[in-house]
Amino acid sequence: MPYIDESPTMSPQLSARGQESGDGVSPTPTDGLNTGVGDLGTELAISFVGPEESLGPHSQTLSLLLRQPMKPLKATATTSQPVLTLQQIETIFYKIQDIYEIHKEFYDNLCPKVQQWDSNITMGHLFQKLASQLGVYKAFVDNYKIALETAEKCSQSNYQFQKISEILAVRALLYKPIDRVTRSTLVLHDLLKHTPSDHPDYPLLQDALRISQNFLSSINEDIDPRRTAVTTPKGETRQLIKDGFLVELSEGSRKLRHVFLFTDVLLCAKLKKTAVGKHQQYDCKWYVPLADLVFPSPEESEHCPQVHVIPDHELEDMKMKISAIKSEVQKEKANKGQSRAIERLKKKMFENEFWLLLNSPAIPFRIHNRNGKSYLFLLSSDYERSEWREAIQKLQKKDLQAFVLSSVELQVLTGSCFKLRTVHNIPVTSNKDDDESPGLYGFLHVIVHSAKGFKQSANLYCTLEVDSFGYFVSKAKTRVFRDTTEPQWNEEFEIELEGSQSLRILCYEKCYDKTKLNKDNNEIVDKIMGKGQIQLDPQAVQTKNWHMDVIEMNGIKVEFSMKFTSRDMSLKRTPSKKQTGVFGVKISVVTKRERSKVPYIVRQCIEEVEKRGIEEVGIYRISGVATDIQALKAVFDANNKDILVMLSDMDINAIAGTLKLYFRELPEPLLTDRLYPAFMEGIALSDPAAKENCMMHLLRSLPDPNLITFLFLLEHLKRVAEKEPINKMSLHNLATVFGPTLLRPSEGESKGHLTLASDIWSHDVMAQVQVLLYYLQHPPISFTELKRNTLYFSTDV
C-alpha cells in the first residue's frame, strides 16, 4: 500500500504551473470561468473543478472507473460467460460508486459559485461537508490492498480482464482516489493560507483541514508507517527494500552517497544543498535496473588503480581529536556553558566525524551494469557488504525486466527517496540525541567456542566486528579450523570498545586459491558462510561472570561467551599476592630477584618478536588468542623451564599480547603514578627547548629499573617501525597501542574529575600517545648520558 503524503507543501496544481497535472487539471482560469482579478483563492477552488469538463477532475476519474470497466463487467456477470463474478467486481471497485456520488454533489454545488464568483460568495461549508464524509474513503483505503490482489489474480486467470486492465490501466485508476485525498488536503492548506482570518469561510476551512489531516495521519499509521513504497506512473508499486549511506569512489575521490535499493532498481543519490526552510531533495547520480546489475567475479573484474588508503595513524589522530572535543562538550554542559560555544564544538566534531566516516572504509564493493559501466563503493564492514549483496541477489531471483526510466519517472522516483528513506542521518555520533545511549567504553572479552550446522567439511574461521565512531570495524579473527563441519575454536579475545553498541560475528570458508584475487585491493576473497549480530546491552554484559550465547546464521549456530570490563575498572591495577611471579609484581622486585636490568619476560618476548614477528602485519595491534596469552602468563609466572620451547611454538600475536599484558598488569605504570601529571604538563609545552629539557628531566627522575626497561622497549619499537612498509605499524600506531599502557592516571586521580564513560576513554589519551611518540621520534637516548647529566639538574619534580 503506498504511503499518503500529508506534508503541507504547495498544492500540486500551483507547484506545477503550465504543466498538465496527473488528473488533467489546469490551474489557469479559462474564458468560461470568470475568476475576477486573478484571485488566488478562486484559482485554488478551480483546482477542484477543472475547466471544460462535464465533471470535476476527480469525479471524471471515478466516472471512468464506473463506465469502463465496472458497468460492462457487471453486465456480463449475469451471463453464461462472465469475465468476473459479482463478488470480484464488488471487491475490486469497492465504494467507487459512493465516492463518485460524494464528489459529484460537491462539484455540482461548487461549480456555479466559481462561475459566478464575487467576493461575497462563501464555499467553506462545502469543503467542511466533503471532509466530514472521508469515512467512505477510509473504507476504500482499507480495501485497497485486497482490491489490487484480486485484480492481479483475475488478470492472471482471465485473459479478457488482463487486456481490459492493461488498456484502462486499472491499477493506476484505483490509485487516483487515494492520491486525491492528499491533493485535496494540499489545496485546503493553500486556500486557508490565502483566506483572510476574518472571512466567514476561514473557520470552516480550518475545520475541514483539521479533519483531513487527522484522517491522513490515521490512514498512514494503518497503511505503512515506514513509508516504504512509491507508485509508478503505470500504477505499479515499487517497494523500498533497503537504504543507507555508502562511500563511493568516483573520479578518484571519495564521495558520501545515499543508496536506495528498490524492488527492481538500485539508485545512488546525493542530498542536495538547499536554502534554510526549503524542503530537502535528492539528486540522482546514477541508477542500475536490477535486471542489468551483476557482481563481477575476481577473475572478471577489470584492474583498477589501487584504492588510496589513509594511514592508520591519521585515522587514530582524528579519533583522538573527536574524543577530546566530546570531552569539551561534556565539560561545557556540566558548567552550563554558552549554547553558542557548545554548538561550535558540535559543528567541529561533526566535521571531524564526517572526515573519519569518509576516509576509514577500505573494503571494495563493486557493482557492474551489464551495459558497460562499473561503480565502486568502499565499506568498513564485510558484514555490510554481504548484506547489500544478499539483498540484491534475493530480488534478482524474481523475473525482472530491463528498462530505462524517462526523465519524469526518474524525477518521481528520486523525489520519493526523501520520504521513503529509513536511514535519516549520517551515521556519526554527533547526530545522536543527548538521551541516546553513548555505548560501551572499555574491554569486551569474547570466547568463540564452536560452530555447527555446516553441510560439508571446509576450512572455517570467524571474525568479530564492533561499531566505533558510527561505523563497524573488524577487531579479531580466530584461527582457521581445517576440513571440518564442527570447528572447535575455543579462542578468547579482548576487544577495545569505543562507544560500541553491537557485536557482529561472521563465519568464513578460507580460500587458498590465488586466482580468486580481488583486483580492487589484491586480497583473496573468502566466502561468507553466515553472519549474525547482537546488541551489547550494558546491563547484561556489565557483570563479573561470563555470559554464554548463541548466534544463528543461515542454519549455522556459533556458540560464544562474553564479559565486559569498563574503562574505570581497567584502570585498577591489582598487585599480585604471590610475589614469586612476574605479572602484577613491582618491576624493581622482579629485576632484583632475577639480578637483571630488564625483566626476563620483556627480553624474551621482544627477542621472539624481532626473530619472527617484526614483519607480521599489525604486530602489537592485532589481538592474540587470549587462551594462548594466559598459558604464556602462567609459564612466566611459574618460571617454567619449557618457556623457550613454548615461545618458539606460540603464535606471534599471542607473544606480543603477553608483553602488552605484562605492562598493563604492573601495580604501577612503567612511567609511574608520581610523574604522570608532570608528563602531561611537559608534552603540552610549546617551546621546543623547554619541552626537551622537561621530557629528558622526567626520564632521569624514573627509578633505574623503569628507565632501563623503558629505553629497551623504546629501541625495540623503533626497529618494528622501520618495517612499516611491510607490517603497517608506524611509530604513531605503536605509540597508540603502548602509550595508554605505559602512562596512565592513577585510580585516585581518574576518580577525581571523570564522570562519563566517554570522558574516561578520551581523558588524556591523546597526550599519553604524544608522550610516547615524542620519545620514539627522538634521537637514541642513552641511559649513561641521561645519568651523567643528572648532576646538572635537580631531581625534584
Side-chain angles (χ1 to χ4, degrees), residues 685-742:
L685 293 173
S686 55
D687 180 69
K691 181 184 282 190
E692 166 78 10
N693 285 336
C694 179
M695 298 302 279
M696 292 303 113
H697 174 52
L698 288 169
L699 287 186
R700 293 185 200 100
S701 305
L702 287 169
D704 283 1
N706 298 57
L707 175 58
I708 295 169
T709 302
F710 177 69
L711 295 178
F712 187 80
L713 175 66
L714 209 59
E715 292 310 306
H716 163 65
L717 296 179
K718 287 180 181 180
R719 289 191 289 273
V720 171
E722 287 172 5
K723 299 288 184 180
E724 181 191 354
I726 303 169
N727 63 30
K728 312 298 183 189
M729 292 302 289
S730 63
L731 289 175
H732 193 286
N733 287 350
L734 292 164
T736 302
V737 171
F738 278 93
T741 299
L742 304 178

Coordinates of all heavy atoms in Angstrom, one line a residue, residues 685-742:
L685 N 54.0 21.7 26.5 CA 54.8 22.9 26.4 C 55.0 23.2 24.9 O 55.2 22.3 24.1 CB 56.2 22.6 27.0 CG 56.2 22.5 28.6 CD1 57.6 22.2 29.1 CD2 55.7 23.9 29.2
S686 N 55.0 24.4 24.5 CA 55.1 24.8 23.1 C 56.5 25.1 22.7 O 56.9 25.0 21.6 CB 54.2 26.0 22.8 OG 54.5 27.1 23.7
D687 N 57.3 25.6 23.7 CA 58.7 25.9 23.4 C 59.5 24.6 23.2 O 59.6 23.9 24.2 CB 59.3 26.8 24.5 CG 60.7 27.2 24.2 OD1 61.0 28.0 23.2 OD2 61.6 26.6 24.9
P688 N 60.1 24.3 22.1 CA 60.9 23.1 21.9 C 62.0 22.9 22.9 O 62.2 21.7 23.4 CB 61.4 23.2 20.4 CG 60.6 24.2 19.8 CD 60.1 25.2 20.9
A689 N 62.8 23.9 23.2 CA 63.9 23.7 24.1 C 63.4 23.4 25.5 O 63.9 22.5 26.2 CB 64.7 25.0 24.1
A690 N 62.3 24.1 25.9 CA 61.8 23.9 27.3 C 61.2 22.4 27.3 O 61.4 21.7 28.3 CB 60.7 24.9 27.6
K691 N 60.5 22.0 26.2 CA 59.9 20.7 26.2 C 61.0 19.6 26.3 O 60.9 18.6 27.0 CB 59.1 20.5 24.9 CG 58.4 19.1 24.8 CD 57.7 18.9 23.5 CE 56.4 19.6 23.6 NZ 55.5 19.2 22.4
E692 N 62.1 19.8 25.5 CA 63.3 18.9 25.5 C 63.8 18.7 26.9 O 64.0 17.6 27.4 CB 64.3 19.4 24.5 CG 65.7 18.7 24.6 CD 65.7 17.3 24.0 OE1 64.8 16.9 23.3 OE2 66.7 16.6 24.2
N693 N 64.1 19.8 27.6 CA 64.7 19.8 28.9 C 63.7 19.1 29.9 O 64.2 18.3 30.7 CB 64.9 21.2 29.4 CG 66.2 21.9 28.8 OD1 67.0 21.1 28.3 ND2 66.2 23.2 28.7
C694 N 62.4 19.4 29.8 CA 61.5 18.8 30.7 C 61.3 17.3 30.5 O 61.4 16.6 31.5 CB 60.1 19.5 30.6 SG 58.8 18.9 31.6
M695 N 61.2 16.9 29.2 CA 61.0 15.5 28.9 C 62.2 14.6 29.3 O 62.0 13.5 29.8 CB 60.6 15.3 27.5 CG 59.3 16.0 27.0 SD 57.8 15.5 28.0 CE 57.4 14.0 27.1
M696 N 63.4 15.2 29.1 CA 64.6 14.4 29.5 C 64.7 14.4 31.0 O 65.1 13.4 31.6 CB 65.8 15.0 28.9 CG 65.9 14.9 27.3 SD 65.9 13.2 26.8 CE 64.3 13.2 25.9
H697 N 64.4 15.5 31.6 CA 64.5 15.5 33.1 C 63.5 14.5 33.7 O 63.9 13.9 34.7 CB 64.1 17.0 33.5 CG 64.0 17.2 35.0 ND1 65.0 16.8 35.9 CD2 63.0 17.7 35.8 CE1 64.6 17.0 37.1 NE2 63.4 17.6 37.1
L698 N 62.3 14.4 33.1 CA 61.4 13.4 33.7 C 61.9 12.0 33.5 O 61.7 11.1 34.4 CB 60.0 13.5 32.9 CG 59.2 14.8 33.3 CD1 58.1 15.0 32.3 CD2 58.7 14.7 34.7
L699 N 62.6 11.7 32.4 CA 63.1 10.3 32.3 C 64.2 10.1 33.4 O 64.3 9.0 33.9 CB 63.8 10.1 30.9 CG 62.8 10.0 29.7 CD1 63.6 9.7 28.4 CD2 61.8 8.9 30.0
R700 N 65.0 11.1 33.6 CA 66.1 10.9 34.7 C 65.4 10.7 36.1 O 66.1 10.1 36.9 CB 66.9 12.2 34.8 CG 67.8 12.5 33.6 CD 68.6 13.7 33.8 NE 69.1 14.3 32.6 CZ 68.5 15.3 32.0 NH1 67.5 16.0 32.5 NH2 69.0 15.7 30.8
S701 N 64.2 11.2 36.2 CA 63.5 11.0 37.5 C 62.9 9.7 37.8 O 62.5 9.4 38.9 CB 62.4 12.1 37.6 OG 63.0 13.4 37.4
L702 N 62.9 8.8 36.7 CA 62.3 7.5 36.9 C 63.3 6.6 37.7 O 64.5 6.7 37.6 CB 62.1 6.8 35.5 CG 60.9 7.4 34.7 CD1 61.0 6.8 33.2 CD2 59.6 7.0 35.3
P703 N 62.8 5.6 38.4 CA 63.6 4.6 39.0 C 64.4 3.9 38.0 O 63.9 3.7 36.9 CB 62.7 3.7 39.7 CG 61.4 4.5 39.9 CD 61.4 5.4 38.7
D704 N 65.7 3.5 38.3 CA 66.5 2.8 37.3 C 65.9 1.6 36.5 O 65.9 1.6 35.3 CB 67.8 2.4 37.9 CG 68.8 3.6 38.1 OD1 68.4 4.7 37.8 OD2 69.9 3.4 38.6
P705 N 65.2 0.7 37.2 CA 64.6 -0.5 36.5 C 63.6 0.0 35.5 O 63.5 -0.5 34.4 CB 64.0 -1.3 37.6 CG 64.7 -0.9 38.9 CD 65.1 0.5 38.7
N706 N 62.8 1.0 35.9 CA 61.8 1.5 35.0 C 62.4 2.2 33.8 O 61.9 2.0 32.6 CB 60.9 2.6 35.7 CG 60.1 2.0 36.9 OD1 60.7 1.4 37.8 ND2 58.8 2.1 36.9
L707 N 63.4 3.0 34.0 CA 64.1 3.8 32.9 C 64.7 2.8 32.0 O 64.6 2.9 30.7 CB 65.1 4.8 33.5 CG 65.9 5.5 32.5 CD1 65.0 6.3 31.5 CD2 66.9 6.5 33.2
I708 N 65.5 1.9 32.5 CA 66.3 1.0 31.6 C 65.3 0.1 30.8 O 65.5 -0.1 29.6 CB 67.2 0.1 32.4 CG1 68.3 0.9 33.1 CG2 67.8 -1.0 31.6 CD1 69.1 0.2 34.2
T709 N 64.2 -0.4 31.4 CA 63.2 -1.2 30.7 C 62.5 -0.3 29.6 O 62.3 -0.8 28.5 CB 62.2 -1.7 31.7 OG1 62.9 -2.5 32.6 CG2 61.1 -2.6 31.0
F710 N 62.2 0.9 30.0 CA 61.5 1.8 29.0 C 62.4 2.1 27.8 O 61.9 2.0 26.6 CB 61.2 3.2 29.7 CG 60.5 4.2 28.8 CD1 59.3 4.0 28.3 CD2 61.2 5.3 28.4 CE1 58.7 4.9 27.4 CE2 60.7 6.2 27.5 CZ 59.4 6.0 27.0
L711 N 63.7 2.3 28.0 CA 64.6 2.6 26.9 C 64.8 1.3 26.1 O 64.9 1.4 24.8 CB 66.0 3.1 27.4 CG 66.0 4.5 28.2 CD1 67.3 4.8 28.7 CD2 65.4 5.6 27.2
F712 N 64.8 0.2 26.7 CA 65.0 -1.1 26.0 C 63.7 -1.3 25.1 O 63.9 -1.7 23.9 CB 65.1 -2.2 27.0 CG 65.4 -3.6 26.4 CD1 66.7 -3.9 26.1 CD2 64.4 -4.5 26.2 CE1 67.0 -5.2 25.5 CE2 64.6 -5.8 25.7 CZ 65.9 -6.1 25.4
L713 N 62.5 -1.1 25.6 CA 61.3 -1.2 24.8 C 61.3 -0.2 23.7 O 60.9 -0.5 22.5 CB 60.1 -1.0 25.7 CG 58.7 -1.0 25.0 CD1 58.4 -2.4 24.4 CD2 57.6 -0.6 26.0
L714 N 61.7 1.1 24.0 CA 61.7 2.2 23.0 C 62.5 1.8 21.8 O 62.1 2.0 20.6 CB 62.3 3.4 23.7 CG 61.9 4.8 23.2 CD1 60.4 5.0 23.3 CD2 62.6 5.9 23.9
E715 N 63.7 1.3 21.9 CA 64.6 0.9 20.8 C 64.0 -0.3 20.0 O 64.1 -0.3 18.8 CB 66.0 0.5 21.3 CG 66.8 1.7 21.8 CD 66.8 2.9 20.9 OE1 67.2 2.7 19.7 OE2 66.4 4.0 21.3
H716 N 63.3 -1.2 20.7 CA 62.6 -2.3 20.0 C 61.5 -1.7 19.1 O 61.4 -2.2 18.0 CB 62.1 -3.3 21.0 CG 61.0 -4.2 20.5 ND1 61.3 -5.1 19.5 CD2 59.7 -4.3 20.8 CE1 60.2 -5.8 19.2 NE2 59.2 -5.3 19.9
L717 N 60.7 -0.8 19.7 CA 59.6 -0.3 18.9 C 60.0 0.5 17.7 O 59.4 0.5 16.6 CB 58.7 0.6 19.8 CG 58.0 -0.1 21.0 CD1 57.1 0.8 21.8 CD2 57.1 -1.3 20.4
K718 N 61.2 1.1 17.8 CA 61.7 1.9 16.7 C 62.1 0.9 15.6 O 61.9 1.1 14.4 CB 63.0 2.7 17.1 CG 62.7 3.9 17.9 CD 63.9 4.6 18.3 CE 63.6 5.9 19.1 NZ 64.9 6.6 19.5
R719 N 62.7 -0.3 16.0 CA 63.1 -1.3 15.0 C 61.8 -1.9 14.3 O 61.9 -2.2 13.1 CB 63.9 -2.4 15.6 CG 65.3 -2.0 16.0 CD 66.2 -3.1 16.5 NE 65.8 -3.7 17.7 CZ 66.2 -3.3 18.9 NH1 67.1 -2.3 19.0 NH2 65.8 -3.9 20.0
V720 N 60.8 -2.0 15.1 CA 59.5 -2.5 14.5 C 59.0 -1.5 13.4 O 58.6 -1.9 12.3 CB 58.4 -2.8 15.6 CG1 57.1 -3.1 14.9 CG2 58.8 -3.9 16.5
A721 N 59.0 -0.2 13.8 CA 58.5 0.8 12.9 C 59.4 0.9 11.6 O 58.9 1.4 10.6 CB 58.5 2.1 13.6
E722 N 60.6 0.5 11.6 CA 61.5 0.5 10.4 C 60.9 -0.4 9.3 O 61.1 -0.2 8.2 CB 62.9 0.1 10.8 CG 63.7 1.2 11.5 CD 65.0 0.6 12.0 OE1 65.4 -0.5 11.7 OE2 65.7 1.4 12.7
K723 N 60.1 -1.4 9.8 CA 59.5 -2.4 8.9 C 58.0 -2.0 8.5 O 57.3 -2.8 8.0 CB 59.5 -3.8 9.5 CG 60.9 -4.3 9.8 CD 61.6 -4.7 8.5 CE 63.0 -5.3 8.9 NZ 63.7 -5.7 7.6
E724 N 57.7 -0.7 8.7 CA 56.3 -0.2 8.5 C 55.8 -0.5 7.1 O 54.6 -0.9 7.0 CB 56.2 1.3 8.7 CG 54.8 1.8 8.5 CD 54.7 3.3 8.5 OE1 55.8 4.0 8.8 OE2 53.6 3.9 8.2
P725 N 56.6 -0.4 6.0 CA 56.1 -0.8 4.7 C 55.5 -2.2 4.6 O 54.6 -2.5 3.8 CB 57.3 -0.6 3.7 CG 58.1 0.4 4.4 CD 58.0 0.1 5.9
I726 N 56.0 -3.1 5.5 CA 55.6 -4.5 5.5 C 54.6 -4.7 6.6 O 53.5 -5.3 6.3 CB 56.8 -5.4 5.7 CG1 57.8 -5.2 4.5 CG2 56.4 -6.9 5.6 CD1 59.2 -5.9 4.8
N727 N 54.9 -4.3 7.8 CA 54.0 -4.7 8.9 C 52.9 -3.6 9.2 O 52.0 -3.8 10.0 CB 54.8 -4.9 10.2 CG 55.6 -3.7 10.7 OD1 55.1 -2.5 10.5 ND2 56.7 -3.9 11.3
K728 N 52.9 -2.5 8.5 CA 51.9 -1.5 8.6 C 51.8 -0.8 10.0 O 50.8 -0.2 10.3 CB 50.5 -2.0 8.2 CG 50.4 -2.8 6.9 CD 50.8 -2.0 5.7 CE 50.6 -2.8 4.4 NZ 51.2 -2.1 3.3
M729 N 52.9 -1.0 10.7 CA 52.9 -0.4 12.1 C 53.9 0.8 12.1 O 55.1 0.6 12.2 CB 53.3 -1.5 13.1 CG 52.2 -2.5 13.3 SD 50.6 -1.9 13.8 CE 50.9 -1.4 15.5
S730 N 53.4 2.0 12.1 CA 54.2 3.2 12.2 C 54.5 3.5 13.6 O 54.0 2.9 14.6 CB 53.4 4.4 11.5 OG 52.2 4.6 12.3
L731 N 55.4 4.5 13.8 CA 55.7 5.0 15.2 C 54.4 5.4 15.9 O 54.2 5.2 17.1 CB 56.7 6.1 15.1 CG 58.1 5.8 14.8 CD1 59.0 7.0 14.7 CD2 58.8 4.8 15.8
H732 N 53.5 6.1 15.1 CA 52.3 6.6 15.7 C 51.4 5.4 16.1 O 50.8 5.4 17.2 CB 51.6 7.5 14.7 CG 50.4 8.3 15.3 ND1 49.2 7.7 15.7 CD2 50.3 9.6 15.7 CE1 48.4 8.6 16.2 NE2 49.1 9.8 16.2
N733 N 51.3 4.4 15.2 CA 50.5 3.2 15.6 C 51.0 2.6 16.9 O 50.2 2.2 17.7 CB 50.5 2.2 14.5 CG 49.7 2.6 13.2 OD1 49.0 3.6 13.3 ND2 49.9 1.9 12.1
L734 N 52.3 2.4 17.0 CA 52.9 1.8 18.2 C 52.7 2.7 19.4 O 52.4 2.1 20.5 CB 54.4 1.5 17.9 CG 54.6 0.5 16.8 CD1 56.1 0.6 16.4 CD2 54.3 -0.9 17.3
A735 N 52.8 4.0 19.2 CA 52.5 4.9 20.4 C 51.1 4.8 20.8 O 50.8 4.8 22.0 CB 52.9 6.3 20.0
T736 N 50.1 4.6 19.8 CA 48.7 4.5 20.2 C 48.5 3.2 21.0 O 47.6 3.2 21.9 CB 47.9 4.5 18.9 OG1 48.1 5.7 18.1 CG2 46.4 4.3 19.2
V737 N 49.2 2.1 20.6 CA 49.0 0.8 21.3 C 49.6 0.9 22.7 O 49.0 0.4 23.7 CB 49.6 -0.3 20.5 CG1 49.7 -1.6 21.3 CG2 48.9 -0.5 19.2
F738 N 50.8 1.4 22.8 CA 51.6 1.3 24.1 C 51.4 2.5 25.0 O 51.5 2.4 26.2 CB 53.1 1.1 23.8 CG 53.4 -0.4 23.5 CD1 53.5 -0.9 22.2 CD2 53.7 -1.3 24.6 CE1 53.8 -2.2 22.0 CE2 54.0 -2.6 24.3 CZ 54.1 -3.1 23.0
G739 N 51.1 3.7 24.4 CA 51.1 4.9 25.2 C 50.2 4.8 26.5 O 50.6 5.0 27.6
P740 N 48.9 4.5 26.3 CA 48.0 4.4 27.4 C 48.3 3.2 28.4 O 47.7 3.2 29.5 CB 46.6 4.1 26.7 CG 46.7 4.7 25.3 CD 48.2 4.3 25.0
T741 N 49.1 2.3 28.0 CA 49.5 1.2 28.9 C 50.7 1.6 29.8 O 50.7 1.2 30.9 CB 49.9 0.0 28.0 OG1 48.8 -0.4 27.3 CG2 50.3 -1.2 28.9
L742 N 51.6 2.3 29.2 CA 52.8 2.7 29.9 C 52.6 4.0 30.8 O 53.4 4.2 31.8 CB 54.0 3.0 29.0 CG 54.4 1.9 28.0 CD1 55.5 2.3 27.1 CD2 54.8 0.6 28.8

